[in-house]
């Protein structure tokens, strides 16, 4: 059966995927031909968001949930290139992802990197994990990264409650960086075709208003709720992909 992390790896041009992942990826690509652009731009958003939080805000701790299979410009690589003492906790619940992470991701000597086997749908399991508590100081600001993960959490699993629980555990001065797939820019026939091609795994597109709801009560930073290809993209090569090309929202907000 196809797996989200391995399929994402396939779209990014990686080698850590199986035939089922490639078949699923090709089916989605047939319905939405710019899906590889989506994966690349989502990854670039992660790099720019971590850079912004590290360089401009001064965040030195990150909690990255839904890590995926390691590829270039992982959170700790970006953060520790700016601040070698940065500390990062990665969280995923897929054994394949965790095996690759432990084998391929190494921290700087000054910083620290830890990998937790935990499920986003159980936020207290993450927040109370001894490895998290020994790596991050939850009395100091944290960059909470929820990148391309919440569209795998159905409404029945209370995604807004999950995010609220995580945010409420972060100290003042922390930041939330979040991306999420949307159907807002898809013609009805495209949305129907993508949905039909993506039956192997739970997936839920959300609208701009539904995306914005994850940030209720937070101080959303400029440029607000935009396509991942448009978020602080001034240093990227032009021309940029359109919002319709990516169909993913991204935003970063300060936790008061």
């Amino acid at each position: 059966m196809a797996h989200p992390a391995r399929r994402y790896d396939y779209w990014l041009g990686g080698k850590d995927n199986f035939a089922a992942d490639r078949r699923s990826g090709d089916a989605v690509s047939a319905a939405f031909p710019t899906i590889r652009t989506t994966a690349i731009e989502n990854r670039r958003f992660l790099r720019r968001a971590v850079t912004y939080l590290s360089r401009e805000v001064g965040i030195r701790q990150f909690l990255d949930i839904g890590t995926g299979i390691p590829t270039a410009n992982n959170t700790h690589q970006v953060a520790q290139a700016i601040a070698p003492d940065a500390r990062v906790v990665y969280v995923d619940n897929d054994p394949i992802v965790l095996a690759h992470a432990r084998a391929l991701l190494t921290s700087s000597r000054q910083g620290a990197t830890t990998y937790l086997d935990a499920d986003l749908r159980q936020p207290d399991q993450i927040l109370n994990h001894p490895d998290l508590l020994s790596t991050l100081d939850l009395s100091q600001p944290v960059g909470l990264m929820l990148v391309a993960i919440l569209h795998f959490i159905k409404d029945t699993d209370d995604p807004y409650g999950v995010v609220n629980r995580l945010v409420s555990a972060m100290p003042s001065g922390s930041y939330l960086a979040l991306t999420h797939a949307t159907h807002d820019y898809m013609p009805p026939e495209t949305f129907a075709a993508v949905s039909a091609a993506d039956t192997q795994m739970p997936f839920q597109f959300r609208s701009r208003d539904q995306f914005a709801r994850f940030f209720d009560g937070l101080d959303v930073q400029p440029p607000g709720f935009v396509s991942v290809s448009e978020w602080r993209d001034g240093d990227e090569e032009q021309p940029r992909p359109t919002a319709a090309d990516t169909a993913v929202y991204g935003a970063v907000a300060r936790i008061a």
Side-chain angles (χ1 to χ4, degrees):
M1 179 177 289
H3 186 277
R6 296 195 306 263
R7 187 175 67 177
Y8 189 63
D9 174 76
Y10 172 57
W11 286 330
L12 286 171
K15 299 179 180 179
D16 296 305
N17 51 76
F18 301 131
D21 309 304
R22 296 188 286 274
R23 283 194 299 269
S24 176
D26 289 342
V28 174
S29 181
F32 187 64
T34 57
I35 187 63
R36 286 182 171 83
T37 298
T38 298
I40 291 168
E41 289 301 324
N42 187 75
R43 195 71 189 179
R44 288 175 175 168
F45 169 92
L46 177 101
R47 171 177 51 79
R48 296 197 303 273
V50 174
T51 299
Y52 166 71
L53 293 177
S54 300
R55 180 170 292 147
E56 299 190 32
V57 178
I59 296 293
R60 294 294 179 264
Q61 306 184 108
F62 291 87
L63 175 56
D64 185 338
I65 304 176
T67 303
I69 292 173
T71 184
N73 294 318
N74 297 288
T75 295
H76 78 284
Q77 292 171 315
V78 178
Q80 291 178 353
I82 297 167
D85 61 340
R87 308 173 74 82
V88 180
V89 171
Y90 290 108
V91 180
D92 210 293
N93 68 338
D94 175 44
I96 293 176
V97 169
L98 292 165
H100 279 84
R102 292 189 174 109
L104 298 177
L105 300 185
T106 57
S107 173
S108 68
R109 287 181 297 173
Q110 302 96 316
T113 304
T114 302
Y115 320 97
L116 309 186
D117 182 1
D119 194 316
L120 173 59
R121 291 167 292 189
Q122 298 175 313
D124 287 314
Q125 179 187 14
I126 297 171
L127 294 168
N128 296 322
H129 198 291
D131 290 347
L132 181 146
L133 297 174
S134 65
T135 305
L136 303 184
D137 178 358
L138 294 185
S139 70
Q140 299 297 315
V142 175
L144 174 60
M145 313 297 294
L146 296 173
V147 175
I149 182 64
L150 282 162
H151 41 237
F152 294 108
I153 308 297
K154 304 287 278 187
D155 283 342
T156 51
D157 287 318
D158 190 20
Y160 297 103
V162 167
V163 172
N164 183 66
R165 175 69 186 99
L166 291 167
V167 166
S168 67
M170 299 295 108
S172 177
S174 296
Y175 282 75
L176 169 65
L178 194 154
T179 72
H180 199 296
T182 184
H183 49 63
D184 284 353
Y185 301 98
M186 291 183 182
E189 60 272 18
T190 300
F191 176 56
V194 172
S195 299
D198 204 29
T199 57
Q200 290 192 26
M201 57 190 75
F203 197 93
Q204 185 158 345
F205 291 96
R206 293 187 171 95
S207 68
R208 184 183 187 279
D209 286 346
Q210 290 171 319
F211 174 72
R213 185 180 161 195
F214 286 113
F215 296 87
D216 282 355
L218 305 184
D219 180 14
V220 179
Q221 304 298 292
F225 306 126
V226 296
S227 166
V228 289
S229 63
E230 299 170 351
W231 192 87
R232 298 177 65 90
D233 65 334
D235 292 334
E236 296 284 4
E237 184 177 346
Q238 304 294 325
R240 305 290 295 127
T242 68
D245 289 332
T246 58
V248 173
Y249 285 121
V252 173
R254 186 180 188 275
I255 299 171

